[in-house]
Amino acid sequence: MALPSQLLYTNRIPLLFLIVFTLLAYLPAVTATFIIDDEEYFLHDPLIQSPQGLVPIWTEPLNNNHVWPYIPITRTSFWLEYQTFGSNLPITHSINILLHLFNGLLLWGILKYCRFQGAWLTAGLFLLHPMHVQSVAWIAERKNVMAMFFYLLVIVSYLYFEDTKKIKWYIIALVFFVAALLSKGAAVMLPVVIVFCRLWLHHPWKAFDTIRLIPFFLIALANAGITVWFESYAFGAQSSSPEFNFLERILNAAFVCYFYLNKLIWPHPILFIYPQWEINTSQVSSYLPFISCCFLLIISLWKYNNWSKPIFIIFGSFVAAIFPVLGFFDIAWARSSLVSNHWGYFASLSIIILLGQGITKFSTLLQIHFHKILIGVSSSQKGYSRKLEKDSLRSEVKKIQRNSEFIYLPYVASLGILIILGFLVWNQSSTYQNRETLWQATLKKNPEAWVAHSDLGNLYVSQKKYSKALMHLDKTLNLNPDSFRAYINRGTVFFALHQYEKALEDYTFALRINPENAKAYNNRGNVYKALHQYEKAIKDYTESLKLAPHPERYQNRAELYLDLHQYAKAISDFTQALKLAPHGVEAYQNRGFAYLQLEQHEAAIADFSKVLLREPHLSEALVGRGYALWLVGKPESACRDWKKACKQGECSAWQHPEFQRSCQEFN
């Protein structure tokens, strides 16, 4: 299948510069750890961990640990990675970086195919824009860079179809569009962007052109409905988004457009969480961005000619791409901030193209201005008239361009800009080293970012720095009393400090805010278990599993059944946990003890043996298998296991009077 020749990179030096400099700029991200919800997306997703998880990823859209929308292609990439490399963060980050690099190079090829001026600089601006660090360095945002890959393939395939009229390229474009949507729903506005691309390339519009785009719009509409449902109902966005009336939403949309334009043109400061602004319909300042947008639209349409047409197309495609996050739809992340860097990844294309062309044309005009000065000097030295003929001027310009030192001015300017942006990307990537560095950098410039306080509190909980954790979690709840995650995390602190009543109160508050939070039910079940209220504990564990099946939650209920001597139920739950996480050593061991109690000795031996294959010196498994072997009439093997366990410090069986004499005989 022949690709457009313009997509091939014949000039190796600019290509090599973009590749090397992009990889160097993002190098700090390769050694980064998990941030925010990365663990939920990657480590705690049972389908990604399970070898049998691939089919449910595609066929069970609600089996998503309550963190994923329906984006099976992105989840499949994580599944393939986990099954191949396990949890290997440098590889995970490297894949994100390489996808972003491919996107930039693909953009360069598309712009060359469309004969855009400044294609190389535009690709460099895309690759090295500090706003894009969030999409690349944040593991969970692989959906952004992966969807962009298919997004750009749709554009080049569709444009090539229009040039060649070969139906196979239309079908390929349609397939790539579906792939983009199954990677991330943000690609939904691509059909509108295609319309603007056709306008830019001066393609005549015919009735059949509309018909050809209808399948794209129908697919986009269906996906938009699915995405809105997931955001509003599955993720609780309706209860977490700011409550704006219709007028306030329109004014907020103008503020959002202004924000992204500002950050794309002048990327400083770049934050993970930006301060919230207030929309006050009684203040004139709230209307200024909206009035500016309307003025720009009127001017570009009123004088729809050579100079205003590009403005209309550029800003029209920008608004189209950014439309899903303008605030007209409820989005879960809006509880944290009305804007976010990763939301601007798709919309940045049009503005970056404008910047790339603008910088290239300006530096070229500056170069020609110098040439004209040189021509004037050269002409006066030769005795020519100051007024050269137009054709003579052009020939002189071309002649001097071939020999003048100023021929490199556009390249020098482009190189300088990209080097500056590269250092900004390096610094920004460095803040993503871990959750603490990210949130400390955020709070330094935005101390009211309650999400930063909440996740720092969660981090300090995991590090058992409970005083720091309580400080940040209390701050979170002061800033956002509806943060159910902060209640859950603070409840975890109280549970660790054995303040069970306070923990119970916090988990109950969390469930009042979000009654379908599986983690809150599971944790409250742990509290009830600690308080010996076993029926309530089992009820909460069961509710947690109904909402989101998870190996840890099955194991919690199984261990309680084990304590209550309900061994058959315990075995059933341990089995479910092992289906979701087949490498769970603790689940195999505890199921082995349950089998032992039910006198299913061969099954117990099999489970203990699986444990010892992974951890050969685990004394509890050695003792358990020893008992099972003794009971099936293999005392020599039993004694061998007990002796190994005794070497690890567990000598209860080896020194037991009933077994000691027999074992000494075998010894």
Side-chain angles (χ1 to χ4, degrees):
M1 186 178 294
L3 288 171
S5 60
Q6 292 88 342
L7 292 179
L8 304 176
Y9 302 99
T10 55
N11 197 335
R12 295 181 181 178
I13 294 177
L15 173 64
L16 189 62
F17 172 83
L18 285 184
I19 293 173
V20 172
F21 207 61
T22 300
L23 294 177
L24 286 175
Y26 279 101
L27 193 60
V30 175
T31 58
T33 58
F34 291 121
I35 60 169
I36 314 185
D37 50 3
D38 283 343
E39 290 178 274
E40 292 291 328
Y41 276 90
F42 193 58
L43 282 185
H44 296 164
D45 187 339
L47 295 186
I48 287 175
Q49 293 181 11
S50 172
Q52 291 78 39
L54 182 59
V55 172
I57 282 173
W58 286 84
T59 60
E60 301 176 18
L62 294 179
N63 189 356
N64 59 22
N65 208 26
H66 278 239
V67 295
W68 290 100
Y70 186 61
I71 46 175
I73 287 182
T74 301
R75 291 181 79 188
T76 297
S77 76
F78 281 122
W79 181 86
L80 288 170
E81 181 190 333
Y82 188 86
Q83 299 305 317
T84 306
F85 304 107
S87 178
N88 191 318
L89 288 179
I91 289 178
T92 304
H93 284 294
S94 297
I95 291 172
N96 278 23
I97 293 167
L98 288 174
L99 281 169
H100 180 60
L101 178 61
F102 292 155
N103 293 339
L105 298 181
L106 188 54
L107 175 63
W108 184 14
I110 292 172
L111 295 178
K112 284 176 63 183
Y113 177 66
C114 297
R115 296 178 176 84
F116 273 69
Q117 191 174 2
W120 178 78
L121 173 60
T122 303
L125 291 174
F126 176 82
L127 287 170
L128 296 169
H129 201 288
M131 268 193 82
H132 293 165
V133 174
Q134 191 179 78
S135 295
V136 181
W138 187 3
I139 292 174
E141 281 310 309
R142 174 171 303 174
K143 53 185 179 285
N144 239 16
V145 290
M146 180 159 282
M148 177 63 84
F149 178 67
F150 294 114
Y151 188 97
L152 293 171
L153 288 175
V154 173
I155 293 174
V156 70
S157 301
Y158 195 88
L159 294 180
Y160 197 52
F161 156 69
E162 293 219 327
D163 287 345
T164 63
K165 306 303 179 186
K166 294 180 179 178
I167 191 65
K168 66 180 180 182
W169 287 105
Y170 177 82
I171 296 172
I172 289 170
L174 207 58
V175 170
F176 282 146
F177 181 48
V178 173
L181 293 173
L182 294 179
S183 300
K184 185 176 183 179
V188 71
M189 297 302 292
L190 181 52
V192 181
V193 174
I194 290 175
V195 173
F196 282 110
C197 288
R198 296 185 84 261
L199 291 174
W200 183 278
L201 297 173
H202 307 286
H203 287 191
W205 195 274
K206 300 177 182 178
F208 194 63
D209 295 319
T210 303
I211 295 173
R212 288 190 303 217
L213 282 172
I214 286 176
F216 287 88
F217 279 100
L218 290 177
I219 292 170
L221 188 63
N223 183 266
I226 293 170
T227 302
V228 168
W229 184 86
F230 267 102
E231 288 287 348
S232 298
Y233 298 99
F235 301 153
Q238 284 184 324
S239 62
S240 58
S241 296
E243 295 182 1
F244 289 150
N245 59 38
F246 184 69
L247 175 60
E248 289 170 337
R249 286 181 184 264
I250 291 175
L251 298 179
N252 177 67
F255 270 91
V256 172
C257 287
Y258 174 79
F259 169 86
Y260 286 112
L261 283 172
N262 177 51
K263 290 300 176 185
L264 287 167
I265 295 170
W266 187 257
H268 181 78
I270 296 294
L271 303 179
F272 197 90
I273 301 288
Y274 291 96
Q276 298 275 44
W277 55 69
E278 292 186 6
I279 303 295
N280 190 337
T281 55
S282 63
Q283 293 182 354
V284 176
S285 58
S286 295
Y287 294 85
L288 293 180
F290 176 71
I291 294 170
S292 301
C293 291
C294 291
F295 178 77
L296 184 64
L297 177 64
I298 292 169
I299 291 296
S300 61
L301 290 176
W302 182 43
K303 294 288 186 180
Y304 190 70
N305 52 27
N306 289 334
W307 69 265
S308 64
K309 181 180 177 180
I311 294 176
F312 172 74
I313 293 172
I314 288 291
F315 286 100
S317 58
F318 167 75
V319 173
I322 207 74
F323 182 77
V325 294
L326 287 181
F328 295 110
F329 306 101
D330 294 318
I331 300 175
W333 184 257
R335 75 187 72 169
S336 313
S337 178
L338 295 171
V339 288
S340 187
N341 297 327
H342 69 282
W343 285 347
Y345 193 65
F346 290 90
S348 69
L349 286 176
S350 55
I351 304 303
I352 285 175
I353 289 171
L354 177 65
L355 291 172
Q357 281 209 314
I359 293 169
T360 303
K361 286 185 176 181
F362 176 77
S363 57
T364 302
L365 288 173
L366 194 61
Q367 165 192 323
I368 292 174
H369 176 70
F370 282 123
H371 290 165
K372 288 181 179 180
I373 294 174
L374 288 179
I375 291 173
V377 173
S378 175
S379 300
S380 62
Q381 288 174 350
K382 293 179 181 180
Y384 292 161
S385 169
R386 293 179 61 86
K387 294 183 178 180
L388 295 172
E389 293 292 334
K390 188 175 183 180
D391 292 340
S392 175
L393 176 62
R394 286 178 179 172
S395 64
E396 289 292 334
V397 167
K398 290 179 181 178
K399 187 186 299 182
I400 294 176
Q401 281 178 336
R402 286 194 294 269
N403 302 300
S404 171
E405 59 185 297
F406 296 108
I407 186 66
Y408 299 108
L409 184 59
Y411 300 103
V412 172
S414 300
L415 194 63
I417 291 169
L418 294 183
I419 289 173
I420 293 171
L421 290 177
F423 280 111
L424 292 175
V425 168
W426 171 282
N427 290 332
Q428 189 69 14
S429 298
S430 300
T431 65
Y432 284 76
Q433 279 299 297
N434 53 62
R435 288 155 68 186
E436 189 167 17
T437 57
L438 177 66
W439 293 132
Q440 294 292 2
T442 301
L443 291 172
K444 188 175 181 180
K445 297 177 181 177
N446 182 14
E448 301 299 299
W450 65 266
V451 173
H453 286 293
S454 177
D455 201 57
L456 264 180
N458 189 28
L459 173 65
Y460 291 136
V461 169
S462 65
Q463 296 175 347
K464 298 183 179 180
K465 298 177 180 178
Y466 297 127
S467 59
K468 284 187 174 182
L470 284 175
M471 179 185 72
H472 283 286
L473 293 171
D474 288 342
K475 180 69 174 178
T476 301
L477 292 169
N478 286 335
L479 293 168
N480 181 16
D482 294 328
S483 174
F484 66 90
R485 286 189 177 88
Y487 279 114
I488 291 173
N489 291 333
R490 195 172 69 175
T492 303
V493 174
F494 289 138
F495 182 78
L497 297 174
H498 304 291
Q499 299 179 26
Y500 298 129
E501 294 301 331
K502 288 184 177 180
L504 194 63
E505 184 179 348
D506 273 0
Y507 290 137
T508 303
F509 265 117
L511 288 168
R512 287 176 187 170
I513 298 168
N514 185 356
E516 297 186 356
N517 187 269
K519 186 175 182 180
Y521 277 111
N522 177 74
N523 290 6
R524 193 173 69 173
N526 291 337
V527 177
Y528 281 133
K529 180 182 176 182
L531 293 171
H532 306 292
Q533 299 180 29
Y534 299 128
E535 289 186 9
K536 290 183 178 180
I538 290 173
K539 183 179 178 181
D540 273 2
Y541 288 146
T542 303
E543 190 64 31
S544 172
L545 288 165
K546 286 180 182 177
L547 291 168
H550 193 277
E552 180 187 347
R553 294 161 196 162
Y554 273 116
Q555 194 157 316
N556 285 341
R557 190 173 68 176
E559 288 172 0
L560 179 54
Y561 282 139
L562 200 62
D563 292 342
L564 296 174
H565 308 295
Q566 298 180 28
Y567 302 118
K569 289 182 178 180
I571 289 170
S572 176
D573 275 359
F574 284 131
T575 302
Q576 291 298 321
L578 289 166
K579 284 181 180 179
L580 295 173
H583 305 299
V585 170
E586 189 176 355
Y588 275 118
Q589 178 172 284
N590 288 337
R591 191 174 69 173
F593 282 116
Y595 279 132
L596 202 58
Q597 293 296 330
L598 292 178
E599 300 183 359
Q600 297 180 28
H601 304 132
E602 294 294 344
I605 292 169
D607 274 0
F608 289 130
S609 297
K610 288 175 182 176
V611 173
L612 293 168
L613 279 174
R614 294 175 176 83
E615 297 187 28
H617 303 294
L618 195 62
S619 58
E620 290 183 359
L622 287 166
V623 170
R625 190 173 69 173
Y627 279 122
L629 288 167
W630 182 278
L631 292 169
V632 297
K634 297 180 179 179
E636 185 174 358
S637 298
C639 291
R640 191 160 45 243
D641 277 355
W642 291 334
K643 185 177 181 180
K644 289 180 183 178
C646 193
K647 289 180 180 179
Q648 306 301 320
E650 175 52 64
C651 298
S652 58
W654 177 252
Q655 295 177 352
H656 193 282
E658 184 179 348
F659 307 127
Q660 192 174 26
R661 181 179 299 176
S662 297
C663 288
Q664 285 176 350
E665 290 177 3
F666 290 122
N667 192 39

